[in-house]
């Protein structure tokens, strides 16, 4: 599993490289010191995951994430790494298409686990933290149009918001894994979301899922 580290602090990049390279299944293939360097390096190295700082010179991590998502040739997942969970920049990066976020002070095991989960892409990383971010920000001024989801799609979206993986959803609903994958794909399409995190944020913003309601589904 390959990782590109994007952070403007050389010491931070070096520390992350050491921590991640010590994992038997993770390999750091490159580093970017500015947001402007990210897209060219992703095109060249094609990492599985970009570990993206949100505050960088020339181009911040939010815009770098947005450009990655706008490029059909790039398939790398984006994991935002931040100092403060409540940072508004994190919320904006998630809305721009980042797949999840992790704190810089996280233990090595948690950081490596976050990289693996984001790479797999079949469950929401730190669902309670995402819920707190949305709750703190509140509804946007221009609320997106609420999409017409079926009852089953709505149920699956709520389970996604609770952090369940495709396999766990299949087990909960007593359906096949392929059925769940089809429903998840339909949900993402109807919400014009590029990943589960974006879909869940959209669900909170439109009231499909209410923060704090049904958290223990």
């Amino acid at each position: 599993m390959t990782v590109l580290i994007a952070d403007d602090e050389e010491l931070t990049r070096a520390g992350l490289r050491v921590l991640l390279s010590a994992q038997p299944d993770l390999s750091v293939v490159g580093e970017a010191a500015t947001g402007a360097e990210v897209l060219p390096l992703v095109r060249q190295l094609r990492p599985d995951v970009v570990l993206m700082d949100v505050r960088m010179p020339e181009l911040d991590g939010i815009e770098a994430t947005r450009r990655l998502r706008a490029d059909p040739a790039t398939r790398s997942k984006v994991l935002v790494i931040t100092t403060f969970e409540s940072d508004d920049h994190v919320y904006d990066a998630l809305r721009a298409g980042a797949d999840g976020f992790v704190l810089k002070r996280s233990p090595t095991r948690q950081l490596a686990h976050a990289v693996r989960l984001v790479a797999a892409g079949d469950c929401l990383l730190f669902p309670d933290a995402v819920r707190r971010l949305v709750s703190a920000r509140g509804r946007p001024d221009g609320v997106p149009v609420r999409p017409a989801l079926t009852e089953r799609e709505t149920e699956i979206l709520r389970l996604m918001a609770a952090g369940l993986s495709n396999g766990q959803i299949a087990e909960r609903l007593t359906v096949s894994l392929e059925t769940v994958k089809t429903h998840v794909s339909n949900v993402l399409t109807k919400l014009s979301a590029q990943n589960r995190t974006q879909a869940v944020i959209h669900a909170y913003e439109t009231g499909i899922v209410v923060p704090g309601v049904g958290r223990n589904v």
Side-chain angles (χ1 to χ4, degrees):
M1 195 175 301
T2 56
V3 181
L4 172 71
I5 300 171
D7 195 292
D8 62 323
E9 295 185 2
E10 185 177 357
L11 186 61
T12 298
R13 295 198 308 273
L16 290 170
R17 174 182 282 275
V18 170
L19 292 176
L20 293 175
S21 297
Q23 302 297 308
D25 60 334
L26 302 181
S27 174
V28 177
V29 294
E31 298 179 12
T34 71
E37 296 175 1
V38 172
L39 185 54
L41 283 173
V42 167
R43 287 172 173 166
Q44 175 188 348
L45 302 172
R46 300 187 180 278
D48 295 308
V49 177
V50 178
L51 199 55
M52 182 91 75
D53 186 22
V54 289
R55 299 174 183 269
M56 290 185 288
E58 296 184 31
L59 194 72
D60 62 28
I62 300 168
E63 182 59 29
T65 297
R66 190 173 289 116
R67 293 187 185 186
L68 281 179
R69 289 293 172 256
D71 187 342
T74 61
R75 293 289 183 267
S76 301
K77 305 289 186 179
V78 176
L79 177 61
V80 169
I81 185 162
T82 179
T83 304
F84 302 105
E85 176 184 306
S86 59
D87 192 336
D88 282 348
H89 288 77
V90 175
Y91 182 83
D92 291 336
L94 294 177
R95 290 195 75 201
D99 298 272
F101 74 93
V102 66
L103 298 179
K104 289 186 177 181
R105 64 175 181 272
S106 298
T108 302
R109 179 180 298 179
Q110 189 177 67
L111 175 61
H113 181 62
V115 171
R116 295 183 187 105
L117 279 183
V118 164
D122 72 343
C123 66
L124 186 67
L125 183 62
F126 306 139
D128 285 345
V130 172
R131 174 184 53 79
R132 287 193 297 270
L133 274 175
V134 177
S135 297
R137 177 66 72 93
R139 292 283 189 90
D141 293 333
V143 179
V145 176
R146 184 166 177 165
L149 300 180
T150 66
E151 183 176 345
R152 178 62 95 185
E153 289 167 350
T154 300
E155 183 177 23
I156 284 179
L157 180 55
R158 287 173 177 153
L159 293 174
M160 289 165 57
L164 273 66
S165 67
N166 288 347
Q168 290 169 326
I169 294 174
E171 184 177 353
R172 177 69 62 87
L173 301 180
T174 320
V175 297
S176 72
L177 181 59
E178 289 305 315
T179 296
V180 171
K181 289 180 178 179
T182 298
H183 284 307
V184 169
S185 178
N186 290 339
V187 168
L188 296 182
T189 298
K190 288 185 178 181
L191 270 59
S192 299
Q194 296 170 328
N195 54 46
R196 297 168 88 97
T197 304
Q198 219 177 36
V200 168
I201 288 176
H202 187 90
Y204 283 135
E205 291 179 343
T206 56
I208 298 173
V209 179
V210 180
V213 176
R215 288 175 56 197
N216 297 314
V217 293

